[in-house]
Amino acid sequence: MGDEQAVPARTVATRAAASQAMAEVAAGADPALRDPALPDTAPADTALPGTGLSDTGLSDTAAARAVTGAVDPGSAAVRPPTLADAAAIRLAAADLAAGCAVVHGFAHGYALTARADREMIARARRLTGRPDDRPCAVTTVPSAIRGLFDWSRLPATLPRRQIWALIDELYELGPFGFRGPAAERVPGHLTAEADGVPRTVRVIAPGRHCPSNAFLTAALTRTGAGFLFVTAAHRPGEPPYGCGESARAGFGGEPDVRVLAHADDAAARLRHPFHAPAPVSVIAFHRATGHGRADLPVLTLERAGSLSEDHIRSLAARNGFALSPAPGAVRAGG
């Protein structure tokens, strides 16, 4: 079923507004953040990942509108900043670069993103109630994901081109995470030893069709980095945030935190029909764990999350891999 059949007319209109906002930030992109497989413009009902943001400033009026969520003069309604608002995206990216955390729509849910320096990571953990020794995850736009891994350290039994194909297929569906050998550019505090393999990194991204890619690109351009720190926005014991109202209730009163909601939360969920409200699933390819059925090399399911294990297993097999859950792997909701 196509999106126009599955999504109400008002949702299609919201997607068109999001595409317009992304077109406004597309000029002046950092070429390293563009995906050569994607066109320079997107259809009206899709969000184009990997688009860039020109480093242009906001007028006082535009900045005020983005901060207050003001609407056209004469309207009494207040519209909080959303991922369909190019001005709000620019302001949130500038605030993140200046040291704020941003709670934003992320695929079918919400994430908290910040600069990936030690100070901001420690603050983000305090904000979300997570322990200081929790392993880090980083995020970037889909077109930059491969550059965060050191493919020369990939086990010989795991063909890199097939892993690339699996990565592309999973991000076409929506949010996903991968752990692999970290590239040299990834600093030590963002890496972890795993299964005796030094310097692995976990990368989590929202997928190719999420409008948050416009915000991520803007933030990456502002910070000059190829990655940002990311964690689930909800606090331990809370269900994952499913709407902008929950995100604003949870973090709207926090100093130096910005909330950038989905323009239409129902549309965000419909855009990811195979994903449940849970932390994203994670595959690890930093080590080889033998061969499975039909002598396929085995990838490790580090976390079974929003995309079901059966679905991941099917896609892995289609790309030439078997799948094995890690001992003590975190299950959905963990």
Side-chain angles (χ1 to χ4, degrees):
M1 178 179 290
D3 287 343
E4 287 76 8
Q5 293 174 299
V7 183
R10 67 178 182 84
T11 299
V12 175
T14 301
R15 286 191 182 184
S19 289
Q20 177 62 32
M22 295 182 78
E24 292 180 32
V25 301
D30 180 348
L33 300 177
R34 285 193 179 275
D35 190 333
L38 294 171
D40 289 335
T41 57
D45 65 342
T46 60
L48 177 63
T51 54
L53 176 70
S54 59
D55 194 17
T56 55
L58 290 174
S59 68
D60 291 342
T61 300
R65 288 170 63 84
V67 171
T68 63
V71 295
D72 292 337
S75 172
V78 174
R79 178 172 56 83
T82 74
L83 290 166
D85 186 336
I89 287 173
R90 287 195 294 267
L91 188 64
D95 285 345
L96 181 146
C100 290
V102 179
V103 173
H104 60 94
F106 191 94
H108 60 307
Y110 282 79
L112 184 146
T113 299
R115 291 191 329 239
D117 55 80
R118 293 178 186 273
E119 179 182 357
M120 283 306 307
I121 291 171
R123 181 166 181 269
R125 284 171 168 159
R126 289 194 299 270
L127 283 167
T128 57
R130 291 180 170 84
D132 290 341
D133 60 353
R134 183 183 178 91
C136 288
V138 299
T139 192
T140 189
V141 292
S143 59
I145 287 169
R146 291 185 194 175
L148 297 183
F149 297 112
D150 183 349
W151 297 99
S152 70
R153 293 169 52 211
L154 194 70
T157 56
L158 300 180
R160 71 178 67 181
R161 291 189 179 277
Q162 289 171 225
I163 290 181
W164 292 350
L166 178 60
I167 288 174
D168 289 344
E169 192 163 356
L170 285 164
Y171 281 127
E172 183 66 24
L173 282 183
F176 210 84
F178 290 90
R179 181 180 298 282
E184 285 301 318
R185 63 189 295 207
V186 180
H189 69 276
L190 298 174
T191 69
E193 180 178 334
D195 307 305
V197 178
R199 283 186 52 79
T200 71
V201 63
R202 178 188 277 189
V203 180
I204 291 174
R208 296 173 69 87
H209 300 292
C210 180
S212 66
N213 284 299
F215 162 67
L216 293 176
T217 301
L220 292 165
T221 301
R222 285 279 191 172
T223 60
F227 45 83
L228 300 164
F229 173 78
V230 68
T231 188
H234 65 282
R235 297 176 173 92
E238 295 180 341
Y241 293 154
C243 64
E245 288 81 0
S246 296
R248 285 188 289 271
F251 287 94
E254 295 283 354
D256 297 326
V257 177
R258 306 291 179 259
V259 178
L260 195 60
H262 280 301
D264 187 324
D265 289 299
R269 290 188 291 274
L270 285 172
R271 195 180 290 121
H272 303 92
F274 301 110
H275 290 264
V280 301
S281 303
V282 179
I283 281 178
F285 55 83
H286 59 282
R287 69 184 182 111
T289 58
H291 290 77
R293 183 177 300 178
D295 204 34
L296 295 178
V298 177
L299 298 177
T300 301
L301 183 62
E302 184 171 288
R303 180 169 72 190
S306 61
L307 189 63
S308 75
E309 184 173 331
D310 286 343
H311 202 144
I312 299 169
R313 191 181 303 278
S314 174
L315 294 180
R318 188 158 72 190
N319 286 280
F321 297 106
L323 191 69
S324 175
V330 178
R331 312 304 297 177

